[in-house]
Amino acid sequence: MTDTTDTGTTTPVEKVRGALLRYRVLAWITGLWLLLLVAELVLKYGFDVDALDFVPIVHGWVYFVYLILTIDLAIKVRWPLGKIITTCIAGTIPFLSFWFEHKRTQEVKAEFGL
């Protein structure tokens, strides 16, 4: 069953729903790991404490998965290139991934009637 929207996409709504859920989960996980990365940097450079050395590596891999899932959603809902890039960059600025996740979720839900 395919649902055509005003944007002309013929992506099944269930595939969009799944891609949106995956994007939302990774946006939150990325945002949380980014906040932990900020804490790690403060500890490392402010207090010379290396207790959280693993955080940069984990955040890097989580961010990589976030990029893949963001592009997956973007292809399914046919976002323009500028929207894809800004949404991808949101995972690099503390708290911005949370705001973008909320904004993009509202847009996709409105567009696809989810």
Side-chain angles (χ1 to χ4, degrees):
M1 171 174 146
T2 0
D3 182 24
T4 305
T5 63
D6 295 337
T7 59
T9 181
T10 57
T11 304
V13 173
E14 287 307 313
K15 286 192 177 192
V16 172
R17 182 177 283 123
L20 179 62
L21 177 62
R22 289 186 296 274
Y23 162 75
R24 294 182 73 188
V25 168
L26 256 296
W28 274 88
I29 292 172
T30 301
L32 292 172
W33 276 98
L34 182 58
L35 292 176
L36 195 56
L37 177 63
V38 170
E40 188 268 340
L41 291 174
V42 168
L43 285 173
K44 183 175 185 171
Y45 295 109
F47 300 99
D48 202 29
V49 175
D50 290 331
L52 300 174
D53 282 349
F54 64 95
V55 172
I57 293 169
V58 175
H59 171 68
W61 282 105
V62 168
Y63 180 68
F64 181 68
V65 175
Y66 167 80
L67 289 176
I68 292 169
L69 295 179
T70 299
I71 292 169
D72 176 52
L73 176 63
I75 290 169
K76 285 180 174 54
V77 299
R78 299 197 184 217
W79 283 342
L81 184 59
K83 186 179 272 193
I84 296 170
I85 291 171
T86 55
T87 306
C88 286
I89 290 173
T92 65
I93 301 169
F95 298 106
L96 199 57
S97 67
F98 304 122
W99 186 78
F100 263 77
E101 178 274 325
H102 178 72
K103 201 76 170 140
R104 297 300 184 238
T105 297
Q106 285 180 332
E107 293 170 358
V108 171
K109 282 184 174 182
E111 184 177 341
F112 287 85
L114 302 175

